[in-house]
């Protein structure tokens, strides 16, 4: 799966979990850029991403993510 | 009304501090408050929400609302340990109790100014973040020294990412303080500040039937977390404060 396709899927997941309509994620998007991306929604995103891609992240991975690009990296390593 | 002389706050804040707790249904009388001004330079008044006569009375006397405390309760047996968020967070989670001076020192060194940035002391321009941190460190030190609370690191894959401080009295557990260390904040671990206490009670097999804790209206994310995890909001408490300039 190409990074651009992963990003597109993540965009849909973020819109759904954060209850927004118009997020345009880039790989540089971080929690600082989205008010709704707080610690609760972060773990909700993790659960939703794992379900969508049928993967499981390591805990150490999750706490090391700095931005959407880090998430894409973790997904690419598993699919 | 109950007046408490918070003598321990002299070490924390460097001034005479009192806390007045107002009971449900009490009517406002300004007289007892006027007497406080000569004895206490920092006054904290806590009253149940909805007592408007007290609100307006306190405002007239120069007190201002700094936060509303949200008082949460959860029966341990009713906590949903199977909640998918809890299950996800529990993965690779462990606890390492703070039992030695070295552990305590490590913990206190990891508590930085921003950790409790929504605390009323940290938010108060008269005090600020650094004093707020020192106050919390003194509290942890005191609980450790008196052996009156369980203090534990919260670890992910063996690495301490935060801590909790839990007091048990009878079959009641009280979440006194908890937090995620700075480098791990905003990465989903904030949910642990609420859930780790229940997980700790379960892992350590503590005989606790009900768990109580308090959060601040100044931390809306915390509200969302407790709500999402099914805690019951049992009551709310207005907190008013007043700084009095010491007599020359």
């Amino acid at each position: 799966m190409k990074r651009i396709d992963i990003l597109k899927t993540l965009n849909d997941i973020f819109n759904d979990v954060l209850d927004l309509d118009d997020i345009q994620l880039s790989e540089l998007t971080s929690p600082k850029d989205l008010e709704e991306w707080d610690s609760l929604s972060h773990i909700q995103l993790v659960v939703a991403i794992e379900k969508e891609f049928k993967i499981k992240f390591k805990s150490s991975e999750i706490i090391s993510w700095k931005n959407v690009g880090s998430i894409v990296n973790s997904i690419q390593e598993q699919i | 009304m109950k007046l408490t002389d918070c003598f321990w706050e002299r070490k924390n804040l460097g001034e005479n501090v009192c806390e007045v707790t107002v009971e449900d249904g009490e009517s406002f009388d300004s007289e007892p408050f006027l007497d406080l001004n000569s004895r206490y330079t920092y006054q904290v008044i806590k009253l149940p929400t909805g007592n408007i006569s007290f609100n307006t009375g306190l405002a007239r006397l120069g007190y201002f609302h700094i936060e509303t405390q949200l008082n949460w309760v959860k029966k341990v047996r009713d906590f949903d340990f199977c909640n998918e968020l809890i299950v996800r967070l529990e993965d690779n989670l462990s606890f390492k109790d703070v039992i030695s001076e070295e552990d305590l020192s490590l913990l206190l060194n990891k508590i930085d100014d921003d950790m409790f940035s929504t605390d009323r002391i940290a938010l108060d321009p008269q005090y600020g973040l650094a004093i707020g941190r020192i106050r919390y460190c003194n509290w942890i030190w005191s609980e450790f020294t008196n052996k009156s609370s369980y203090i534990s690191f919260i670890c992910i894959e063996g690495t301490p990412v935060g801590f909790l401080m839990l007091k048990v009295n009878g079959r009641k557990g009280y979440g006194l303080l908890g937090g995620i260390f700075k480098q791990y904040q905003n990465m989903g671990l904030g949910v642990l500040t609420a859930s780790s206490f229940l997980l700790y009670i379960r892992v350590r097999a503590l005989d606790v039937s009900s768990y109580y804790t308090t959060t601040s209206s100044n931390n809306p994310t915390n509200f969302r977390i407790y709500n999402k995890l099914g805690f019951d909001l049992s009551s709310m408490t207005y907190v008013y404060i007043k700084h009095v300039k010491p007599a020359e």
Side-chain angles (χ1 to χ4, degrees), chain A residues 4-16:
Chain A
I4 188 72
D5 296 323
I6 294 173
L7 192 59
K8 197 176 165 192
T9 306
L10 286 179
N11 210 83
D12 293 341
I13 293 171
F14 271 65
N15 271 320
D16 181 46

Side-chain angles (χ1 to χ4, degrees), chain B residues 96-127:
Chain B
K96 181 181 181 299
D97 287 333
V98 174
I99 50 177
S100 67
E101 296 279 350
E102 288 74 26
D103 294 336
L104 179 66
S105 177
L106 180 65
L107 171 58
L108 297 182
N109 283 330
K110 282 181 172 289
I111 294 176
D112 74 323
D113 285 358
D114 292 330
M115 194 167 197
F116 302 107
S117 59
T118 57
D119 166 64
R120 69 177 157 83
I121 297 294
L123 288 172
D124 190 330
Q126 183 135 336
Y127 299 129

Side-chain angles (χ1 to χ4, degrees), chain A residues 38-39 50-51 57 60 65, chain B residues 84 88 157 187-188 224:
Chain A
D38 61 15
S39 57
E50 287 181 334
K51 274 185 188 169
F57 300 115
S60 54
W65 289 341
Chain B
E84 64 181 359
R88 189 65 193 80
E157 294 179 4
M187 285 297 147
R224 291 182 58 232

Side-chain angles (χ1 to χ4, degrees), chain B residues 107 111 115-116 140 152-154 162-165 177-179 181:
Chain B
L107 171 58
I111 294 176
M115 194 167 197
F116 302 107
I140 295 167
S152 182
F153 287 107
I154 303 165
F163 81 101
L164 62 80
M165 188 160 81
L177 194 60
F181 302 135

